[in-house]
Amino acid sequence: MSKKRVCMIVQDRMVKGGIAAVINSYYGSKIEDQYDVTYVESYKDGGKLTKLMKGIAGYFVFLKVLITNRPDLVHIHSSFGPSFMRKLPFIYMAAMFNIPIINHIHGADFDQFYVNASDKKKKLIENVYGKCDKLIALSDEWRMRLSKIVSSDKIEVIENYSVVNNQIIESRKNRNVNDTVLFLGEIGKRKGCYDIPDVVEIVSRSIPNVRFVIAGSGSEIDVKSIKDSLQQKKIFKNVEFPGWIRNEVKEKYLQEADVFFLPSYNEGMPMSILDAMGCSLPIVSTNVGGIPKIVKNNINGFCCEAGDVKAFSDAIILLLSDSDLNKKMSAGSLEIVMQKYSFEYHMKRLIELYERTFR
């Protein structure tokens, strides 16, 4: 019996960000054992021309797949803003060929995308999402938000996953706290990075040798503003900017860290937190998006209100000062991951959705 064919619209594997992090584990996974999967890349990092050429090439490749190897299902990974507009032609083409569509929504700023949009844009979003058979939301909160666009029975909650790194977990078990705080992600306002200098200033008063690693990339304006603030506060010595990190370098920083810190204002279900939890790190983050589902106060970290610099600082100081509490919350992160956020569980939910969506 031949396998069902799935065409997945994805980013280039080297793209920076959470969407690529989610997708990269799909390659060579159980989903390829069960289905005949074709990946069509629609985006890559680079200048405007690079992005444009990649997008146009993706449309032609997708059209060829539709004609020569017609899929039984199209699985699109999308976000808001420019990502929504880039994915629009894929959705229209798949709908024209009467192929069921699953739209995996990774967006973060819903108010900007839909709530505060013009009536014209709202109608466009409603029309495009209405052509999809199913939307994947990353949390129950996001299901409620997306239900403003489509009926809730079209929305399936499939949360992101964590890959447990036993090597890092073992290496961290018997070492002392070394006063290192790690951030991974896009350096900008949405991720709360403009609050970090104030946090560093407060924490460094109690722990002078504290080391904040701000690993990621952002616009020149954002990075410069944050660095200038650190210089003005005379705490730049406490902060390291290694840029966007991957693979062995990323593992090195996760192994050295004592606390993972993500002060975001908008999120879906951040892969960076799940990565850190898979390395048994305690978390300090915010009460937004799907974060409260994975960061439990006094169990594996602290969920603060976005922008609450004092609460962030107090939580980080506590986790760096109390090694027993740090170890307890480290174990809490790993336990939460093992219970519900394994890659195997994610795959199970995704395959179940595929089977319900095939026509």
Side-chain angles (χ1 to χ4, degrees), residues 87-328:
K87 301 303 164 48
L88 189 151
F90 291 106
I91 292 171
Y92 280 138
M93 282 191 279
M96 186 173 64
F97 277 76
N98 196 32
I99 297 169
I101 303 165
I102 293 174
N103 193 349
H104 202 145
I105 310 295
H106 300 266
D109 195 340
F110 187 72
D111 286 351
Q112 182 179 344
F113 173 65
Y114 181 77
V115 175
N116 300 327
S118 66
D119 290 341
K120 183 179 179 180
K121 185 179 178 184
K122 282 182 177 177
K123 287 180 181 178
L124 175 63
I125 294 167
E126 289 163 5
N127 180 268
V128 171
Y129 280 11
K131 291 183 181 296
C132 302
D133 293 75
K134 290 288 184 180
L135 301 185
I136 295 178
L138 301 184
S139 68
D140 292 324
E141 182 189 36
W142 274 98
R143 179 176 185 163
M144 287 191 295
R145 291 181 180 182
L146 292 171
S147 67
K148 295 179 180 179
I149 305 174
V150 300
S151 61
S152 59
D153 61 352
K154 290 185 69 171
I155 305 168
E156 187 84 10
V157 175
I158 300 181
E159 292 149 329
N160 287 339
Y161 59 87
S162 177
V163 176
V164 174
N165 192 317
N166 289 310
Q167 184 176 350
I168 290 178
I169 293 168
E170 286 300 316
S171 70
R172 293 183 66 253
K173 269 184 179 177
N174 298 316
R175 72 163 174 79
N176 295 323
V177 172
N178 61 12
D179 298 335
T180 299
V181 180
L182 176 64
F183 166 95
L184 294 171
E186 179 187 354
I187 300 174
K189 291 182 179 178
R190 182 176 73 82
K191 294 285 187 178
C193 294
Y194 278 69
D195 294 327
I196 291 178
D198 290 333
V199 174
V200 177
E201 183 177 35
I202 295 171
V203 174
S204 64
R205 290 176 194 152
S206 297
I207 306 173
N209 293 322
V210 68
R211 172 192 178 214
F212 280 77
V213 178
I214 313 302
S217 62
S219 71
E220 288 185 19
I221 293 173
D222 286 333
V223 175
K224 184 177 185 303
S225 295
I226 293 161
K227 287 183 175 180
D228 286 349
S229 180
L230 291 165
Q231 293 280 17
Q232 289 166 10
K233 294 175 182 295
K234 298 181 180 179
I235 48 173
F236 197 86
K237 62 181 176 58
N238 293 99
V239 185
E240 182 179 338
F241 289 87
W244 195 271
I245 57 176
R246 290 188 173 93
N247 304 326
E248 294 85 1
V249 178
K250 181 178 175 181
E251 289 184 357
K252 171 183 175 290
Y253 281 106
L254 284 164
Q255 183 174 325
E256 293 173 354
D258 301 301
V259 177
F260 185 81
F261 180 39
L262 186 71
S264 289
Y265 282 79
N266 284 293
E267 285 290 352
M269 177 69 78
M271 283 296 289
S272 60
I273 287 182
L274 287 163
D275 281 345
M277 289 172 63
C279 296
S280 195
L281 276 168
I283 313 297
V284 175
S285 192
T286 53
N287 188 27
V288 300
I291 294 174
K293 288 201 71 176
I294 54 177
V295 180
K296 307 292 186 180
N297 278 321
N298 299 306
I299 294 175
N300 71 316
F302 298 95
C303 240
C304 310
E305 292 302 313
D308 192 340
V309 168
K310 184 178 186 305
F312 294 149
S313 304
D314 289 346
I316 290 169
I317 290 168
L318 182 60
L319 286 166
L320 294 180
S321 304
D322 189 333
S323 60
D324 289 338
L325 181 67
N326 191 296
K327 288 178 181 178
K328 175 187 171 185

Side-chain angles (χ1 to χ4, degrees), residues 340-355:
K340 196 177 175 183
Y341 295 94
S342 67
F343 180 62
E344 291 73 21
Y345 184 74
H346 177 89
M347 279 286 104
K348 177 178 179 289
R349 294 293 313 282
L350 188 60
I351 288 169
E352 288 172 350
L353 179 60
Y354 279 9
E355 292 299 321

Side-chain angles (χ1 to χ4, degrees), residues 43-51:
Y43 177 81
K44 70 183 299 183
D45 288 332
K48 290 183 179 178
L49 182 59
T50 298
K51 293 175 181 177

